[in-house]
Amino acid sequence: KAIAPGEPYWGWYAVDVCEPGGPSNRPYLEKLFDEAVVFTYDEVDVGVDHVMRCIKEKGPFDILLGFSQGCIVSHLVAATLLARGEKIPWRLSVQFCGMRVRDNRYLELFDSPLPVPCVQIYGRSDPMYEYGRKSQPQLYESPLILEFDEGHRFPSKDPAKTEIHRRIAEEIVRVCLADGAEAA
């Protein structure tokens, strides 16, 4: 809302929540952190298909960047491609304020860590920080973890903002040059 005041807020998918014993008045985040609660993503496949179509039609791309739900979509895109026997077509995933996939229909896609280089950035004041920080890194072989002292947002305060941008840029260069690309 800060980036586009007055514009509609869009998400990648809706979430159906099924609590043991029926619906409660617990806050959403409390339900999210409760492993006994079942989450089902409504129409997440539409978002995954959209991203895969864009990559195919408009790529190639070196980087796939996700924020929050976008991280979950990026996990699903990578895992779906691998399950189909296809190569992950980007060189580096950059993920801000993400977490693992909670919809159990997709768990088997993550039996093994994803083999794509990954930078994961977490805001220590994000209400989802501990959950995301604990759950998302295990989805990747060896993610680079960066943190900053803000909430569920892109880093906006120096010196952390500048340092995180510098580290991401270094990782982009390292991964892309290792993969045979030329430096600009």
Side-chain angles (χ1 to χ4, degrees):
K1 292 182 179 182
I3 294 174
E7 293 297 319
Y9 177 76
W10 298 98
W12 283 99
Y13 52 87
V15 179
D16 293 322
V17 179
C18 182
E19 297 180 81
S24 74
N25 291 326
R26 293 191 302 164
Y28 178 79
L29 290 180
E30 191 176 311
K31 296 173 190 178
L32 179 66
F33 305 149
D34 182 346
E35 296 294 326
V37 175
V38 175
F39 280 72
T40 304
Y41 300 152
D42 185 31
E43 297 190 12
V44 71
D45 294 329
V46 173
V48 169
D49 290 344
H50 175 75
V51 171
M52 288 196 291
R53 189 172 48 258
C54 286
I55 289 169
K56 185 176 181 180
E57 293 173 1
K58 298 179 182 186
F61 297 100
D62 291 326
I63 315 300
L64 183 62
L65 186 141
F67 176 82
S68 194
Q69 278 190 341
C71 296
I72 291 171
V73 171
S74 73
H75 308 326
L76 288 168
V77 169
T80 299
L81 289 168
L82 290 175
R84 293 178 180 174
E86 297 178 39
K87 183 177 182 268
I88 295 172
W90 61 92
R91 298 174 187 207
L92 176 70
S93 290
V94 177
Q95 300 168 340
F96 288 87
C97 303
M99 67 186 66
R100 74 173 183 91
V101 175
R102 281 294 310 272
D103 188 325
N104 292 335
R105 296 175 298 172
Y106 302 100
L107 290 183
E108 68 184 30
L109 292 175
F110 300 98
D111 286 341
S112 299
L114 297 170
V116 61
C118 183
V119 180
Q120 297 176 358
I121 304 96
Y122 300 92
R124 290 186 198 100
S125 297
D126 184 343
M128 294 182 273
Y129 166 76
E130 286 185 35
Y131 182 77
R133 181 67 177 82
K134 179 182 76 169
S135 69
Q136 183 176 244
Q138 65 193 4
L139 300 179
Y140 291 82
E141 287 182 351
S142 54
L144 171 63
I145 307 295
L146 304 175
E147 297 182 350
F148 63 105
D149 290 322
E150 294 180 66
H152 197 73
R153 60 181 301 152
F154 290 102
S156 64
K157 297 178 183 173
D158 278 321
K161 173 184 77 171
T162 299
E163 177 61 14
I164 286 172
H165 291 170
R166 184 186 68 74
R167 293 289 310 277
I168 292 169
E170 285 176 355
E171 194 66 6
I172 290 169
V173 169
R174 185 189 71 76
V175 169
C176 290
L177 287 180
D179 202 23
E182 296 183 23

